[in-house]
Amino acid sequence: MTASLLPNYIAGQWVTGQGAGTPLFDPVLGTELVRVDATGLDLPEAFRFAREQGGSALRALTYRERGALLTAVGKVLQANRDAYYEISTANCGTVKNDTAVDVDGGLFTLGHFARMGETLGDQRHLLDGEAARLGKDPLFQSQHVLVPTRGVALFINAFNFPSWGLWEKAAPALLSGVPVIVKPATATAWLTQRMVQDVVNAGILPSGALSIVCGSSAGLLDQLQPFDVVSFTGSADTAAVIRSHPAVVQRSVRVNIEADSVNSALLLPASSAEDAAATLELLAKEVAREMTVKSGQKCTAIRRVLVPEALYDAAASAISARLAKTTVGNPRNEGVRMGSLVSRAQKNAVDQGLAQLMAHTEVLHDGRSAALVGADSAVGCFAAPVLLGTREPDANAVVHDVEVFGPVATLMPYRDMPQALQLIRQGQGSLVASLYGSDAAALASAALELADSHGRVHVISPDVAALHTGHGNVMPQSLHGGPGRAGGGEELGGARALGFYHRRSALQASTAVLTQTTPVT
Ligand code: NAP
């Protein structure tokens, strides 16, 4: 692995930026790996080429044919999987299990949409609902249709999922017939670039269907035209910049935002000591897992843990006991359970956020004194699991507001369900909340109470303990996104994911004409 400047792929060509480039580092060893640079790229041509060449070639295909392309893409990625694991270890500091969440999670999501192509069949548009008559005579009706937008899908992605973040967006876009330009976060751009390179070199997709710009985002948004769409994942601050960009405001470009989120886990009151112990154990296991997977650098990770007052101390002990087993260090070492953060900047941000929370909380578990395994804390960008607690969550606004993007969560007691739900809502809208309990009626009621402020509510009762997919795992079948502070975006959710890449139109015509628009599957 020699430090070299990674080329960008635009307008059907590999193009190296004209600047010296921004270095990407190994966050464990501190060594420089590769550089990225987007200086001097012909962005207007990149967007024109993608729209005209990539878009028209994709739209000429049926959903089934585009699904088959995704299957072929998946095979190429599968064949190069070992290289992706190596890059992730080197550039993201991840242990194998955490790399799997990103790399294999991306492949799984790609496969989901590849199969959806088969289901949607030999059509090039989708019907949206039933036809409705417009007057007394049923001859003249209205039928809504969804057709692929004739623009580019621009993805501006976050650093924490260089693989999954690409494919969870690219799969539905390409299946919809919309070309993609991806700009990965600079710190971890290597894995995204390498995956795109492998797919491009395999010659599977039509020219212009998949492009990548690595490095600065300067000038990208200026290229947007009315039928383009933007899908952004990252901080609320950058989201605000994108939302207010003149191209977005003046050309009505559709934007999907996935931003910060202070997600919660809630343990419901139990009717017996036995039930309380069983459901507390489920919660503790999941909280410890969520805090430590990818060193807590997951937008869906549990940040707030709410338990009945009487169980506060027991919950603190149960979660701490699990966290104490987490070995932190060099991910190349088999004994290590949690690797590093992705960069020095993230390490600083986590330290800063933790200090802010610690000023208002008690420390229930502090893994920072444990020795790193096979790594040097002066060189590597490591964070250790820290469980904080506050006994007065009503009065402690900061714990509902500050998202520490690392292995940190805050435990808090609640008096009754109305207070618990109110505390969760203080997150101002989150990606996911998980509920733990054994009373189906109480779980259902709480889930519906929280549904308006969450993109997903994950409900765990003992009967699904061994089956559930995990609080933080984003499954392609379920919605990903959240209202309010979480950005207001919606991704995935099965076939719903295609909606963003289509335009809806009402065809008002005779039944004879509308019959001709009914696709054959
Ligand atoms: P960020 O600074 O907002 O960066 C995100 C992306 O935006 C990067 O690709 C970045 O490029 C790019 N960018 C930065 N400034 C830009 C601008 N002015 N115009 C256009 N693009 C610009 O976010 P971050 O701090 O790296 O990411 C962490 C945050 O993402 C966390 O707060 C987390 O909650 C959130 N997140 C949310 C989700 C979700 O699904 N909801 C998933 C993951 C992360 P550079 O890297 O080149 O600066």
Side-chain angles (χ1 to χ4, degrees):
M1 291 180 191
T2 50
S4 61
L5 195 55
L6 299 179
N8 305 284
Y9 188 70
I10 54 167
Q13 315 251 347
W14 289 105
V15 189
T16 305
Q18 290 165 6
T22 305
L24 275 55
F25 293 99
D26 182 321
V28 173
L29 306 176
T31 47
E32 183 178 328
L33 300 166
V34 290
R35 287 178 172 242
V36 293
D37 186 56
T39 315
L41 298 187
D42 186 350
L43 294 179
E45 174 59 9
F47 277 70
R48 186 203 65 75
F49 188 89
R51 254 179 231 119
E52 293 179 12
Q53 303 280 324
S56 50
L58 286 170
R59 284 195 306 277
L61 303 175
T62 64
Y63 292 96
R64 191 195 304 283
E65 288 166 333
R66 296 192 291 254
L69 293 182
L70 296 185
T71 301
V73 166
K75 283 186 183 155
V76 170
L77 298 176
Q78 192 67 44
N80 291 286
R81 190 168 159 271
D82 289 351
Y84 307 147
Y85 268 65
E86 252 183 70
I87 291 174
S88 182
T89 303
N91 191 200
C92 307
T94 46
V95 294
K96 277 190 188 132
N97 281 351
D98 292 352
T99 302
V101 178
D102 188 26
V103 171
D104 298 335
L107 281 167
F108 177 77
T109 305
L110 186 64
H112 176 82
F113 286 100
R115 287 188 297 280
M116 193 182 293
E118 193 61 33
T119 312
L120 294 175
D122 298 320
Q123 43 178 331
R124 293 182 182 80
H125 70 269
L126 303 171
L127 295 188
D128 178 28
E130 303 280 312
R133 65 161 77 170
L134 293 171
K136 277 190 185 158
D137 192 325
L139 191 63
F140 191 59
Q141 302 217 15
S142 173
Q143 170 69 62
H144 290 90
V145 292
L146 291 167
V147 292
T149 191
R150 292 184 180 233
V152 166
L154 172 64
F155 301 153
I156 300 181
N157 282 358
F159 63 79
N160 56 342
F161 281 104
S163 163
W164 178 82
L166 166 63
W167 298 114
E168 62 110 4
K169 295 180 183 184
L174 294 169
L175 180 61
S176 299
V178 178
V180 165
I181 298 179
V182 60
K183 186 236 143 348
T186 296
T188 58
W190 191 11
L191 179 53
T192 314
Q193 195 274 354
R194 175 60 190 270
M195 288 180 142
V196 171
Q197 183 178 303
D198 289 340
V199 171
V200 167
N201 290 349
I204 296 163
L205 296 172
S207 188
L210 182 60
S211 308
I212 183 164
V213 173
C214 298
S216 166
S217 57
L220 280 175
L221 296 166
D222 299 331
Q223 310 309 322
L224 296 170
Q225 294 293 325
F227 301 124
D228 296 336
V229 294
V230 179
S231 182
F232 169 78
T233 306
S235 65
D237 289 347
T238 311
V241 170
I242 291 174
R243 274 206 178 95
S244 56
H245 191 278
V248 173
V249 175
Q250 290 161 15
R251 294 174 206 149
S252 305
V253 169
R254 276 187 298 159
V255 178
N256 192 75
I257 303 278
E258 301 292 348
D260 315 354
S261 181
V262 192
N263 311 295
S264 358
L266 170 65
L267 180 66
L268 271 70
S271 52
S272 69
E274 201 179 33
D275 262 7
T279 51
L280 173 59
E281 203 44 42
L282 287 176
L283 169 112
K285 184 177 176 191
E286 195 66 358
V287 170
R289 195 159 74 97
E290 281 294 311
M291 286 176 69
T292 53
V293 169
K294 287 183 73 67
S295 304
Q297 300 167 106
K298 254 169 51 223
C299 51
T300 50
I302 296 170
R303 311 293 182 195
R304 296 178 293 160
V305 186
L306 293 91
V307 297
E309 274 172 346
L311 293 175
Y312 180 82
D313 292 327
S317 303
I319 299 167
S320 300
R322 289 181 176 272
L323 293 177
K325 294 183 195 151
T326 309
T327 43
V328 183
N330 189 331
R332 296 161 184 90
N333 187 317
E334 288 295 327
V336 167
R337 290 263 307 276
M338 191 174 98
S340 70
L341 301 170
V342 301
S343 66
R344 182 61 50 193
Q346 280 312 304
K347 163 77 177 145
N348 293 342
V350 166
D351 286 349
Q352 207 180 0
L354 182 58
Q356 218 179 333
L357 286 185
M358 283 175 80
H360 299 269
T361 53
E362 58 178 331
V363 177
L364 301 174
H365 172 84
D366 192 345
R368 291 177 300 172
S369 51
L372 294 174
V373 180
D376 181 350
S377 61
V379 175
C381 309
F382 290 96
V386 177
L387 180 67
L388 303 170
T390 175
R391 289 175 193 267
E392 295 185 342
D394 278 322
N396 205 339
V398 73
V399 300
H400 306 291
D401 185 44
V402 174
E403 180 202 41
V404 179
F405 213 61
V408 178
T410 306
L411 180 68
M412 51 196 88
Y414 68 86
R415 285 183 306 278
D416 50 28
M417 281 303 285
Q419 189 207 12
L421 299 174
Q422 180 52 31
L423 289 170
I424 290 176
R425 289 195 190 100
Q426 283 191 43
Q428 302 288 316
S430 301
L431 294 170
V432 52
S434 55
L435 312 179
Y436 302 80
S438 49
D439 177 339
L443 286 166
S445 165
L448 289 172
E449 284 283 335
L450 292 173
D452 70 300
S453 53
H454 293 79
R456 182 160 59 84
V457 183
H458 187 73
V459 184
I460 306 307
S461 41
D463 53 328
V464 294
L467 302 174
H468 79 96
T469 47
H471 163 105
N473 275 352
V474 176
M475 302 299 288
Q477 297 90 336
S478 296
L479 194 70
H480 174 57
R485 175 182 177 155
E490 289 193 359
E491 291 174 352
L492 301 175
R496 283 172 197 81
L498 307 191
F500 185 59
Y501 303 101
H502 286 73
R503 301 297 319 190
R504 181 178 287 108
S505 181
L507 306 186
Q508 297 182 219
S510 73
T511 42
V513 171
L514 291 180
T515 306
Q516 297 297 314
T517 69
T518 305
V520 184
T521 48

